[in-house]
Amino acid sequence: MSQTLSELGSPPQLDPQTLRIVPLGGIGEIGRNMTVFELGGKLLIVDCGVLFPEDEQPGVDLILPDFSYIKDRIHDVLAVVLTHGHEDHIGAVPYLLRLRADIPLVGSQLTLALIEAKLREHRIKPYTLSVAEGQKEKFGPFECEFVAVNHSIPDALAVAIRTSAGSVLHTGDFKMDQLPLDGRITDLRSFARLGAEGIDLFLVDSTNADVPGFTTAEREIGPVLEAEFGKAERRVIVASFSSHVHRVQQVLDAASAHGRKVALVGRSMVRNMKIAADLGYLHVPDGTLVDLKAIGDLPDDQVVLMCTGSQGEPMAALSRMASRDHKVEIGQDDTVILASSLIPGNENAVFRVINGLMRLGARVVHKGTAKVHVSGHASAGELLYCYNIVRPRGVMPVHGEMRHLIANGDLAELAGVDPGRVIIADDGAVIDMKNGDAELVGKIECGLVFVDGSSVGEITEADLKDRRILADEGFVSIFVAIDFSTGKVIAGPEIHARGIAEDDKVFVDLKPKIADALLEAHKDGRANQHQLQQVVRRTVGRFASSKLRRRPMIIPVVVEA
Amino acid sequence: MSQTLSELGSPPQLDPQTLRIVPLGGIGEIGRNMTVFELGGKLLIVDCGVLFPEDEQPGVDLILPDFSYIKDRIHDVLAVVLTHGHEDHIGAVPYLLRLRADIPLVGSQLTLALIEAKLREHRIKPYTLSVAEGQKEKFGPFECEFVAVNHSIPDALAVAIRTSAGSVLHTGDFKMDQLPLDGRITDLRSFARLGAEGIDLFLVDSTNADVPGFTTAEREIGPVLEAEFGKAERRVIVASFSSHVHRVQQVLDAASAHGRKVALVGRSMVRNMKIAADLGYLHVPDGTLVDLKAIGDLPDDQVVLMCTGSQGEPMAALSRMASRDHKVEIGQDDTVILASSLIPGNENAVFRVINGLMRLGARVVHKGTAKVHVSGHASAGELLYCYNIVRPRGVMPVHGEMRHLIANGDLAELAGVDPGRVIIADDGAVIDMKNGDAELVGKIECGLVFVDGSSVGEITEADLKDRRILADEGFVSIFVAIDFSTGKVIAGPEIHARGIAEDDKVFVDLKPKIADALLEAHKDGRANQHQLQQVVRRTVGRFASSKLRRRPMIIPVVVEA
């Protein structure tokens, strides 16, 4: 029986010999990964990412981990270790650094280059410490050792954290491609050694824990791309993630093999690939890369556009091409390749783009029709290898929804981990480790922090509920100025409705009813502004529900005139 | 080169020898299937279904085909042929019958029983004509022959329509399960005979045209269910579609084999299965079915609950169980089986339910983890068989988004259909057939008709745009009563904001600015209500955009006092 959060209360006082682990994000969701390690009054943070909102969160730009737990002790934070450069691991760093700008950021060369570029846009110049696989660094009571892992972005790291209270190994995001393009495999030899030295708690990426078997190797995409390029009669447009250096590498190689030039489209694609090329992670075949402006001068069958927008994002290049709102005009016999996953929730948007492109005559290739994408995360088969090699005493699945965490915990148990040492946690769970024994001991308040426009954390769940009501039902606002001494209407009622089917005219009959109700209420002695507004609200609500079968948001305003 | 809708205009005048075919729904979308056939001034309709809204259509309950095209000629409609009893083929019938209640409905026994039950809720008693496979019926110039097809609901029919202008075969929805539970296969012998007699235009279900290979047989689910039932330690909860008689049959059989009783949960499930059992389509093993109320008296390991909600619908039983808002309390070691597809767009809702169930300790089985669902539609392999058996002169793919239609058209071409006779149409396309030659000749106006509460067709795309803005940005309303002769504020400004992060206090500084702007405008001679409201709108808009970085909907109301 694994340890699960049932009705845990506040955690106990922390004694100086205990290591406390508190995930502030990434457990129970895919995104905003952030884990806090605390020992002897000092804090070490692993990752600080964002989560992308769902439809239930309209208007929200980003969701951050809740920093409340560490806010008062921000000066005790020794470092933030960034395992790799994806948004769900680094995206919230600019917001964390608003609390204290000089927290050292620790990560690999590429990871730091990507976060530095992001921070430049926020006008922040961070303190950084570049580390590489095999390297050890001590941050106060935390001895960190960095281990190479393979993922869908180069230069990803796992981190082992040794403390006086016990040892932790955190995989970050990883998979176990045995023949990666850059030859940098997940370092199972180091995993084996660390396991032999003793890992008390193994924090393991759960994203694909419920996917049986093994994740296909990235290099298997190459021949598929080559074949598609070979068949292409006119332009080829490839869409993928803007940080997927190896995917772009394979597109460059396929283009070069077919005598095509590649133009990068989209700000993040251009920025990230420049960084990757400058640092030597992306190898551009001579003369293959051209500027988007130069594409017009080339024959169609010598053109490749490498762009973003593979998730159907409405403002990205691909969506705009599909709706003929982009300078690149997709036409008959162009080939569009979506070399990307389909993130759950994005299906309608992506299929809308695919339908639009096909309507314009393009041939569209996607992972449903050809092997043009592989995942960046270890599947169940790989995770079993991992457990058997590390043989950890305890396991806490991370980076996943509940279904992924439980599937991962089941794998750990199958591989022989004591079920009592498998911790199925949640954001805000508090895990204490003493003498190498990790245990769920409590839970802290830890909500979703919404970024919307310039506001951070000001949008509440109540605001989102208002937005959902407004979206589903619209609103009616009623303004009336009355003489408070008599209850007689002086101006109005003015009634405005938006987002409901009927136009404002439907409310004409309602106006005398409101005036009457106000007069009546006044006679009864319900004469203050709040009471009169309630009268208006009830009158309008009854009308909307009986006549229109609706429950719009109602905003009554009664003022004295 | 297939025929596609590019810049077609209005269709030509229809001459009496020409058969006109106008799809009003189902082409370019999956749902609201409806096709109008017209010859010699008489109309025959095939199917009349609804489409379910996407997130882009907040607050909308249902989407209907646009009946404008037939409204003025509703008395020329000879019959509505309903190919089967799914909502996307019958759901809009109640709305069509509002235009004329005595349009005869033609369909199989089960199809009619289902539409009659639905119409009873709308207090409509329809005129019906029950038909069976092999039967021929003449409706004016349309000679119809009905052909058995296999689908995910029993008693589905294809329909061949012979006219003086040519012959059409419409598959409805179908697949080609060669060993269906009820032994009622898609009648390829009749397809072959009809093909030999000559099919000029073949309207073919495209839903799975881009899925390679063959759709798995329904009976392969049985052993999987049996195995899951065998492993189950406590209750088994199965969720599926409320019309999927054969799926429910297999659940009943598996329950019976394991000595479990089944209770049906959900109004539509109970209603449909009663109809199916009464008509002999569902065979209930003796004593297997019990009332939900009786379940409490049984040991957990003798209980099966068969419910709806497999798409994560928030009000359905399964969602409510997952959020502990249902009398059935899911607990540790209950088994939940989602024996259903995952309709695109529903992923987040379904995964939310799965995560909730797993958090409560349930074991969740779904099509991602076991073969507990098969599709109801023919895949590419089956479609090729179909084309080779019918050998139609022309083809028009139906029932699909653009990507499905094009994939299906490509299959027809591969099977030897003249590419010039493959019609990739769209809702509102007009296809004329003369001497057996079908051709795209034009296009009619044909929009989405939204049902929202009691309103049908009143919600416009502009209202939905308002709703989307309200959802993303919220609104600010400003009421001010002024003396129109001086421009001086008498009451207000009252400012109310909803759905934005900041509370109303942020607008305090704005009030004197509005008063000043109004006075200023009045001095400049901009003194009518419209002009003054524009002044308020601009003042507030500038403030929101510069101070708050938002673009809320702004509702300025200036009245005379």
Side-chain angles (χ1 to χ4, degrees):
Chain A
M1 178 69 202
S2 56
Q3 296 180 42
T4 53
L5 271 189
S6 46
E7 267 118 58
L8 286 172
S10 294
Q13 190 83 25
L14 184 60
D15 74 58
Q17 277 73 51
T18 301
L19 170 67
R20 178 159 284 179
I21 305 171
V22 183
L24 296 181
I27 317 262
E29 68 213 345
I30 294 197
R32 60 170 201 149
N33 294 281
M34 181 168 183
T35 310
V36 179
F37 296 84
E38 179 175 4
L39 182 61
K42 295 297 173 188
L43 308 181
L44 179 78
I45 294 171
V46 175
D47 288 331
C48 187
V50 294
L51 172 69
F52 295 99
E54 298 183 3
D55 293 313
E56 294 294 293
Q57 293 144 341
V60 172
D61 301 325
L62 291 173
I63 304 174
L64 308 181
D66 186 344
F67 300 147
S68 314
Y69 177 66
I70 54 168
K71 204 175 255 171
D72 293 341
R73 292 175 303 153
I74 197 74
H75 291 283
D76 297 324
V77 176
L78 302 174
V80 178
V81 171
L82 302 170
T83 57
H84 62 280
H86 279 153
E87 286 298 308
D88 54 341
H89 292 255
I90 66 168
V93 169
Y95 301 91
L96 182 68
L97 295 192
R98 286 187 191 181
L99 298 180
R100 186 186 134 207
D102 64 352
I103 302 176
L105 306 181
V106 180
S108 67
Q109 188 187 32
L110 180 63
T111 306
L112 290 181
L114 291 169
I115 185 64
E116 281 168 334
K118 172 178 282 292
L119 288 168
R120 255 194 301 280
E121 292 171 5
H122 288 258
R123 293 160 200 279
I124 300 174
K125 188 156 170 33
Y127 289 75
T128 58
L129 173 66
S130 182
V131 293
E133 47 269 34
Q135 198 169 328
K136 293 182 188 178
E137 291 291 336
K138 198 160 185 309
F139 305 99
F142 307 101
E143 284 179 50
C144 293
E145 177 178 345
F146 300 94
V147 183
V149 292
N150 169 248
H151 185 40
S152 45
I153 187 169
D155 224 9
L157 292 170
V159 57
I161 305 172
R162 289 192 192 80
T163 72
S164 55
S167 291
V168 173
L169 176 57
H170 191 316
T171 63
D173 287 359
F174 81 115
K175 61 174 170 175
M176 298 191 345
D177 193 334
Q178 293 301 300
L179 294 168
L181 287 198
D182 59 3
R184 188 174 175 278
I185 54 174
T186 291
D187 181 3
L188 294 179
R189 286 164 58 108
S190 290
F191 273 25
R193 174 179 48 79
L194 289 163
E197 290 164 19
I199 292 298
D200 298 306
L201 193 64
F202 192 21
L203 277 57
V204 184
D205 177 9
S206 309
T207 313
N208 279 352
D210 63 352
V211 178
F214 292 79
T215 301
T216 308
E218 175 71 24
R219 70 171 63 222
E220 292 197 16
I221 293 173
V224 181
L225 287 177
E226 289 258 0
E228 295 297 340
F229 277 54
K231 276 188 273 180
E233 293 171 30
R234 290 188 64 216
R235 288 174 301 193
V236 176
I237 295 99
V238 186
S240 192
F241 302 105
S242 69
S243 61
H244 207 317
V245 177
H246 291 161
R247 196 64 50 82
V248 174
Q249 183 71 59
Q250 301 203 86
V251 171
L252 291 174
D253 295 344
S256 171
H258 285 88
R260 287 175 181 257
K261 307 286 183 190
V262 180
L264 302 174
V265 187
R267 206 173 51 95
S268 60
M269 180 67 76
V270 171
R271 186 193 70 182
N272 293 346
M273 291 309 137
K274 181 171 183 335
I275 291 172
D278 288 349
L279 294 177
Y281 296 96
L282 183 74
H283 307 285
V284 182
D286 264 356
T288 300
L289 220 46
V290 296
D291 196 89
L292 182 56
K293 291 193 200 94
I295 284 290
D297 303 331
L298 292 169
D300 281 344
D301 62 0
Q302 290 175 24
V303 168
V304 175
L305 299 168
M306 179 75 230
C307 67
T308 55
S310 65
Q311 297 304 309
E313 304 92 323
M315 300 313 294
L318 196 67
S319 286
R320 287 167 46 219
M321 289 179 198
S323 55
R324 275 277 160 93
D325 174 33
H326 193 274
K327 60 188 160 195
V328 176
E329 287 203 1
I330 300 286
Q332 194 67 39
D333 299 326
D334 280 339
T335 298
V336 180
I337 302 174
L338 280 82
S340 54
S341 65
L342 210 178
I343 296 173
N346 295 344
E347 288 78 1
N348 283 338
V350 172
F351 289 137
R352 203 174 296 134
V353 169
I354 292 175
N355 286 323
L357 294 166
M358 290 181 78
R359 197 179 282 269
L360 296 172
R363 198 167 65 85
V364 180
V365 180
H366 55 86
K367 69 167 200 149
T369 61
K371 194 81 190 162
V372 290
H373 175 71
V374 297
S375 171
H377 300 270
S379 300
E382 287 148 281
L383 293 171
L384 287 171
Y385 268 77
C386 223
Y387 287 124
N388 284 332
I389 284 175
V390 175
R391 289 195 156 278
R393 288 181 70 219
V395 166
M396 180 165 94
V398 298
H399 201 269
E401 300 172 13
M402 190 51 66
R403 61 198 172 103
H404 305 115
L405 304 178
I406 290 176
N408 202 359
D410 289 348
L411 292 173
E413 294 184 19
L414 282 174
V417 177
D418 173 0
R421 291 184 181 274
V422 174
I423 299 177
I424 303 299
D426 214 339
D427 291 341
V430 177
I431 297 98
D432 278 357
M433 184 187 286
K434 212 170 177 172
N435 301 321
D437 294 325
E439 197 181 356
L440 260 175
V441 297
K443 156 166 214 182
I444 57 145
E445 278 299 312
C446 169
L448 299 171
V449 173
F450 301 112
V451 177
D452 181 6
S454 63
S455 80
V456 179
E458 291 175 57
I459 286 278
T460 62
E461 190 46 51
D463 292 315
L464 294 183
K465 194 175 166 204
D466 277 354
R467 288 180 178 185
R468 290 192 295 261
I469 293 173
L470 287 168
D472 287 348
E473 303 281 347
F475 75 90
V476 183
S477 66
I478 312 93
F479 172 66
V480 54
I482 70 168
D483 179 338
F484 270 48
S485 66
T486 62
K488 276 193 74 168
V489 169
I490 305 296
E494 279 273 338
I495 302 182
H496 290 261
R498 294 300 278 273
I500 73 171
E502 296 75 14
D503 62 19
D504 295 353
K505 272 181 245 146
V506 80
F507 297 106
V508 168
D509 298 346
L510 190 55
K511 293 185 178 187
K513 283 200 187 103
I514 293 171
D516 290 350
L518 285 169
L519 213 52
E520 190 79 16
H522 194 270
K523 264 193 232 150
D524 297 349
R526 284 173 292 152
N528 72 36
Q529 188 189 33
H530 176 73
Q531 288 168 329
L532 295 174
Q533 286 181 170
Q534 284 302 98
V535 167
V536 173
R537 181 194 304 279
R538 269 197 298 275
T539 309
V540 176
R542 263 199 296 267
F543 177 84
S545 117
S546 68
K547 295 283 177 202
L548 313 177
R549 298 270 184 100
R550 293 176 193 289
R551 301 198 302 169
M553 186 179 284
I554 299 170
I555 316 286
V557 182
V558 178
V559 297
E560 177 149 28
Chain B
M1 177 69 201
S2 55
Q3 296 180 43
T4 53
L5 271 189
S6 46
E7 268 117 57
L8 286 171
S10 295
Q13 190 81 28
L14 183 60
D15 74 58
Q17 277 73 50
T18 301
L19 169 68
R20 177 159 285 180
I21 306 172
V22 183
L24 297 181
I27 315 260
E29 68 214 343
I30 294 197
R32 60 169 200 149
N33 294 282
M34 181 167 182
T35 311
V36 178
F37 295 84
E38 178 174 6
L39 182 60
K42 295 296 174 189
L43 308 182
L44 179 77
I45 294 171
V46 176
D47 289 329
C48 187
V50 293
L51 173 68
F52 295 99
E54 297 183 6
D55 293 312
E56 295 293 292
Q57 293 144 341
V60 172
D61 301 324
L62 292 172
I63 304 174
L64 309 180
D66 186 346
F67 300 147
S68 315
Y69 177 66
I70 54 168
K71 203 175 254 171
D72 294 340
R73 291 175 304 152
I74 197 74
H75 292 283
D76 296 323
V77 176
L78 302 174
V80 178
V81 171
L82 301 171
T83 57
H84 62 279
H86 279 155
E87 286 298 307
D88 56 338
H89 291 254
I90 67 169
V93 168
Y95 301 91
L96 182 68
L97 295 193
R98 286 187 191 181
L99 298 180
R100 187 187 132 206
D102 64 352
I103 302 176
L105 306 182
V106 181
S108 68
Q109 188 187 30
L110 180 64
T111 305
L112 290 182
L114 290 170
I115 184 65
E116 280 167 336
K118 172 178 283 291
L119 288 169
R120 255 194 302 282
E121 293 171 5
H122 287 258
R123 294 160 199 280
I124 301 174
K125 189 158 168 34
Y127 289 75
T128 59
L129 173 67
S130 182
V131 293
E133 47 267 35
Q135 197 170 327
K136 293 182 187 178
E137 292 291 337
K138 198 161 185 310
F139 305 100
F142 307 100
E143 285 180 50
C144 294
E145 177 178 345
F146 300 94
V147 183
V149 291
N150 169 248
H151 185 40
S152 46
I153 188 170
D155 224 9
L157 292 169
V159 56
I161 305 171
R162 290 192 192 79
T163 72
S164 56
S167 291
V168 173
L169 176 57
H170 191 316
T171 63
D173 287 357
F174 81 115
K175 61 175 169 175
M176 297 190 347
D177 192 336
Q178 293 300 299
L179 293 168
L181 287 199
D182 59 2
R184 187 173 176 278
I185 54 174
T186 290
D187 182 3
L188 294 179
R189 286 164 57 109
S190 290
F191 273 26
R193 173 178 49 78
L194 288 163
E197 290 164 19
I199 293 298
D200 298 307
L201 192 65
F202 192 21
L203 277 56
V204 183
D205 177 8
S206 308
T207 313
N208 279 352
D210 62 352
V211 178
F214 291 79
T215 301
T216 308
E218 175 71 24
R219 69 171 62 222
E220 292 197 17
I221 292 175
V224 182
L225 287 177
E226 289 258 1
E228 295 297 339
F229 277 54
K231 274 189 274 181
E233 294 171 28
R234 289 187 66 216
R235 288 174 301 193
V236 176
I237 295 98
V238 186
S240 193
F241 301 105
S242 69
S243 61
H244 206 316
V245 177
H246 292 161
R247 195 63 49 84
V248 175
Q249 182 71 60
Q250 301 202 87
V251 171
L252 291 174
D253 294 346
S256 171
H258 284 87
R260 287 176 180 258
K261 307 284 183 190
V262 179
L264 303 174
V265 187
R267 207 172 51 95
S268 59
M269 180 65 77
V270 171
R271 185 192 72 183
N272 292 346
M273 291 308 137
K274 182 174 184 331
I275 291 171
D278 288 351
L279 295 177
Y281 295 98
L282 183 73
H283 307 285
V284 182
D286 264 356
T288 300
L289 220 46
V290 295
D291 196 88
L292 182 56
K293 290 193 202 93
I295 283 289
D297 304 331
L298 292 170
D300 280 345
D301 63 358
Q302 291 177 23
V303 169
V304 175
L305 299 167
M306 179 76 230
C307 67
T308 54
S310 65
Q311 297 305 308
E313 304 92 322
M315 301 312 295
L318 196 68
S319 286
R320 287 168 45 218
M321 289 178 200
S323 56
R324 274 278 160 91
D325 175 32
H326 195 275
K327 59 187 160 195
V328 176
E329 287 202 2
I330 299 285
Q332 195 66 41
D333 299 326
D334 281 339
T335 299
V336 180
I337 303 173
L338 280 83
S340 53
S341 63
L342 211 178
I343 297 173
N346 296 344
E347 287 80 2
N348 283 338
V350 172
F351 289 136
R352 204 173 294 135
V353 169
I354 292 175
N355 286 324
L357 294 166
M358 290 182 77
R359 196 178 283 270
L360 296 172
R363 200 166 63 85
V364 180
V365 181
H366 55 85
K367 68 167 201 147
T369 61
K371 195 79 191 167
V372 290
H373 175 72
V374 298
S375 171
H377 300 270
S379 300
E382 288 149 280
L383 292 172
L384 287 171
Y385 268 76
C386 222
Y387 288 123
N388 284 330
I389 284 174
V390 175
R391 291 194 155 277
R393 288 181 71 218
V395 166
M396 181 165 91
V398 297
H399 201 268
E401 299 172 14
M402 189 50 66
R403 61 196 171 105
H404 306 115
L405 304 177
I406 290 176
N408 201 358
D410 288 348
L411 292 173
E413 294 183 20
L414 282 173
V417 177
D418 173 359
R421 290 184 182 274
V422 174
I423 299 177
I424 303 298
D426 214 338
D427 291 341
V430 177
I431 298 98
D432 278 357
M433 184 187 285
K434 211 170 177 171
N435 301 321
D437 293 326
E439 198 180 357
L440 259 175
V441 297
K443 154 166 215 181
I444 56 146
E445 277 300 312
C446 169
L448 298 171
V449 174
F450 300 112
V451 177
D452 180 4
S454 64
S455 81
V456 178
E458 292 175 55
I459 287 277
T460 63
E461 190 45 52
D463 292 314
L464 294 183
K465 194 175 166 205
D466 277 353
R467 288 180 178 186
R468 290 192 296 261
I469 293 173
L470 287 168
D472 287 349
E473 303 280 347
F475 75 90
V476 182
S477 65
I478 311 94
F479 298 97
V480 53
I482 69 167
D483 179 339
F484 270 49
S485 66
T486 65
K488 276 192 74 169
V489 169
I490 305 296
E494 280 272 339
I495 303 183
H496 290 259
R498 293 301 278 273
I500 75 171
E502 296 74 15
D503 63 18
D504 295 354
K505 272 180 246 147
V506 80
F507 297 106
V508 169
D509 297 347
L510 190 54
K511 293 186 179 186
K513 284 200 186 104
I514 293 171
D516 289 351
L518 285 169
L519 214 53
E520 190 79 14
H522 194 270
K523 265 193 229 150
D524 296 350
R526 284 172 292 154
N528 71 36
Q529 189 190 31
H530 175 72
Q531 288 168 328
L532 295 174
Q533 288 182 167
Q534 285 300 99
V535 167
V536 174
R537 181 194 305 279
R538 268 198 300 273
T539 308
V540 176
R542 260 200 298 265
F543 176 83
S545 115
S546 69
K547 295 283 177 203
L548 312 177
R549 297 271 183 99
R550 293 176 191 290
R551 301 199 299 171
M553 185 178 285
I554 299 169
I555 317 287
V557 183
V558 178
V559 297
E560 178 149 28

